[in-house]
Amino acid sequence: MKRSLWLTTAVLLALGSPPVPANAGEPLPPAPSLDYPRPSGPVIDYRRPFPVPAKAAEPILLRARYTKGERLTVIYKEVSEDVLTTYGPQETTETTRTEKEVSFQWRIMEVMRNGDARIAMQYTYFVAGVLKNGKPFAFLDSRLPQQSDYVKKFITIMTTPITITVSSRAKVVGVTGLDEILDRWRAEAEKTLSPQERAELDWLVEGLLGKENVAKTLSEVLTPFPAAPLDHTRTWSEPLNWPMEFLTMTGTRTYRLDSHPSLPDWYVVSEASKAVFTSSDKQLDFETVRGTITGTSMIRKESGRLVWNSAVLNLDLKTYGTKGDRPRAALSRMVSTMRTTATIRPTLTEQAKAHFDRGVALGRRGQFDAAIQEFDKAIALQPGAAELFGNRGIARHGRRDLAGAIKDLDHAIRLDPGLDIAHFGRAAARVDLKDYAGAIADHTAVIQLTPQYWRSYFLRGILYSLQEKWDAAIADFTGAIERNPEFPEVYRYRMTAYMRQGNMTAAEADLKKWRELGGRR
């Protein structure tokens, strides 16, 4: 009997390509053997309409709950793209793309009688990449050894531990240790960097380590709700006032809270806000700056524990460019898009992680029974870690235990709806069960969680092809090509879709590209 196209042992555990059934005529090439995907942080969007419970008008009270000794991993990511157009004697455009990522460990040191907690926090790595017009401008990465001396010193300073005090309303009420880090940074920068280099990095340091920014960011990470009190009906608004390094943002934030349509343990919070920005930099004279903010967060009902939140800030501003004491030189317009995501999850204990790592290694070698035993041991030690159930579900699928796989993957998603690997694994199991609609939904979740994950575009495109939804299939194959243009088989799949639509010119172009990349029948 021929196996399913998306047999998880092929897709997730790289065990080779199974044969593929014919699809309404010409056989399609087999699915490729793919690397085992790692969770990469959530960006999923649940802003679709939700059913409103009968008691929607009743206020909702959530309090964060902390456990002494608990360890958490937080990942904060920011990707922004600015397109600045200057109108003068001649029009020029400059595009800047910035990527920042901070990962840090939390340890709850003390839980006080009023529910507040003291948390020790330490950065584990920091990444910043800046591109101007497609060319590298600056790059910091503590995980890479080939860094300049001043970058290494900067990273060492960044990893100095700090302590925060958090209220039961999940608001950061105190931060200690940041001033010392900033003082060390400035002292080292004056000795090591030129004034220009300091200027280029200072905005990054202030943005990451400024006490007010840190408190606001960490409060957002802990819970998507505004400051205390957290008693709210389903929809509410609050004033928005956030002074930043160069700008002050004011406006109104509007929130909506809903029960998750399929996960009863979770709330979904949607944000849609409008803001006006004013400049605090005398070198810039803004004419108009307006922005919109949209965001989505997932929060556990029982504890107020945030699993992830994401937000997109869009700015459209007009400014007269000035330098020093020079008069206004030219009218400029900037369109800026910034996406931020924050993820918080339990940190695996050392012993649980050892079992987890052994289980993953065994699964990659196809030793699924042994892998499941390792995941069993890890789950016994840490039953609240969703990734353990997700990986055990993948291993169970590898040994053809579909019922056990679905059970584990469902449980992983109930624990953490933003766990992309669980959605990806469940998509594969659902295909084996001929639940193509469910598999499409899971690949859609992966794409929302991890927009650059080309494999889910490719696999979802094949599912649409099997349903003869050629427009959707072509769109997904195109999305996969945009993210990985060197994978030959996606061109052949798209070629087939173009042929079914009668677009022979596009089909021939894809056939040519497939052959150029070494595609073979």
Side-chain angles (χ1 to χ4, degrees), residues 438-506:
I440 287 173
D442 271 323
H443 281 307
T444 299
V446 174
I447 288 168
Q448 291 172 327
L449 288 163
T450 315
Q452 295 305 312
Y453 196 62
W454 66 272
R455 294 174 175 89
S456 276
Y457 284 93
F458 174 57
L459 296 174
R460 191 177 67 174
I462 298 176
L463 284 165
Y464 283 136
S465 294
L466 293 174
Q467 297 177 346
E468 298 189 3
K469 296 179 179 179
W470 304 116
D471 288 340
I474 289 170
D476 270 355
F477 294 142
T478 301
I481 289 169
E482 289 172 350
R483 289 157 179 82
N484 183 12
E486 302 303 315
F487 178 58
E489 297 308 320
V490 68
Y491 292 95
R492 187 163 189 251
Y493 277 96
R494 192 173 68 171
M495 174 198 72
T496 302
Y498 277 135
M499 291 174 62
R500 302 300 167 85
Q501 285 190 326
N503 187 347
M504 301 309 296
T505 301

Side-chain angles (χ1 to χ4, degrees), residues 44 46 263 266 298 307-308 413-419 423 449:
I44 195 167
Y46 281 102
L263 299 173
W266 296 91
M298 290 286 292
V307 164
W308 57 262
I413 291 169
R414 282 196 299 271
L415 287 173
D416 186 347
L419 189 61
H423 287 284
L449 288 163

